[in-house]
Amino acid sequence: MDVARVIEYCRLRGIRVIPEFDTPGHAEAIAKSHPEILTPCYSGDKPNGKVGPIDPTTDRTYSFLDTFYREIAQLFQDSMLHLGGDEVNFDCWKSNPKVREFMQSHNLGDNYEALQ
């Protein structure tokens, strides 16, 4: 069933639909179509082929999220949206030299929770 039809079906019955797009940690579905916005994980000084949460170091991430949330705002016209931001495993971010550099250049120290 189309999402817009579900929303309308619920609206007609007095049901409020509040979407949740749990980022940056639970972005596996996004990775299927946009793997370039996920953080490459490292073992030592080399990428290990795994990916982690959304990559905060690249403009592609912010461009994607801008487009994504604009589309969501059109589809879900409710004033509420749940963004998640919890349950992020920081290991991949900690392993990635670009993320560590980003943390330092933004005066975040080693507070990876600030990236959520």
Side-chain angles (χ1 to χ4, degrees):
M1 187 178 257
D2 181 76
V3 173
R5 286 181 52 207
V6 170
I7 294 168
E8 180 62 9
Y9 179 89
C10 292
R11 187 190 69 75
L12 292 172
R13 287 155 181 81
I15 301 168
R16 186 175 179 189
V17 178
I18 301 173
E20 176 182 6
F21 297 97
D22 200 352
T23 59
H26 298 289
E28 295 88 6
I30 295 171
K32 304 270 188 219
S33 61
H34 297 299
E36 73 280 0
I37 70 165
L38 297 185
T39 304
C41 303
Y42 279 66
S43 293
D45 62 347
K46 296 185 178 173
N48 62 19
K50 297 179 182 175
V51 293
I54 290 177
D55 187 348
T57 70
T58 175
D59 288 340
R60 291 183 306 230
T61 297
Y62 301 103
S63 177
F64 169 81
L65 290 174
D66 180 64
T67 300
F68 179 73
Y69 288 121
R70 286 179 189 276
E71 289 177 11
I72 295 308
Q74 291 291 318
L75 187 59
F76 294 91
Q77 299 197 356
D78 195 285
S79 61
M80 300 296 291
L81 170 67
H82 189 283
L83 298 178
D86 59 349
E87 302 173 343
V88 177
N89 182 329
F90 301 133
D91 293 339
C92 186
W93 278 343
K94 289 178 179 180
S95 76
N96 185 294
K98 283 179 61 179
V99 174
R100 290 194 310 265
E101 181 182 313
F102 179 88
M103 297 283 293
Q104 295 307 312
S105 69
H106 289 84
N107 298 315
L108 298 173
D110 61 357
N111 180 14
Y112 288 88
E113 287 184 4
L115 296 178
Q116 296 186 97

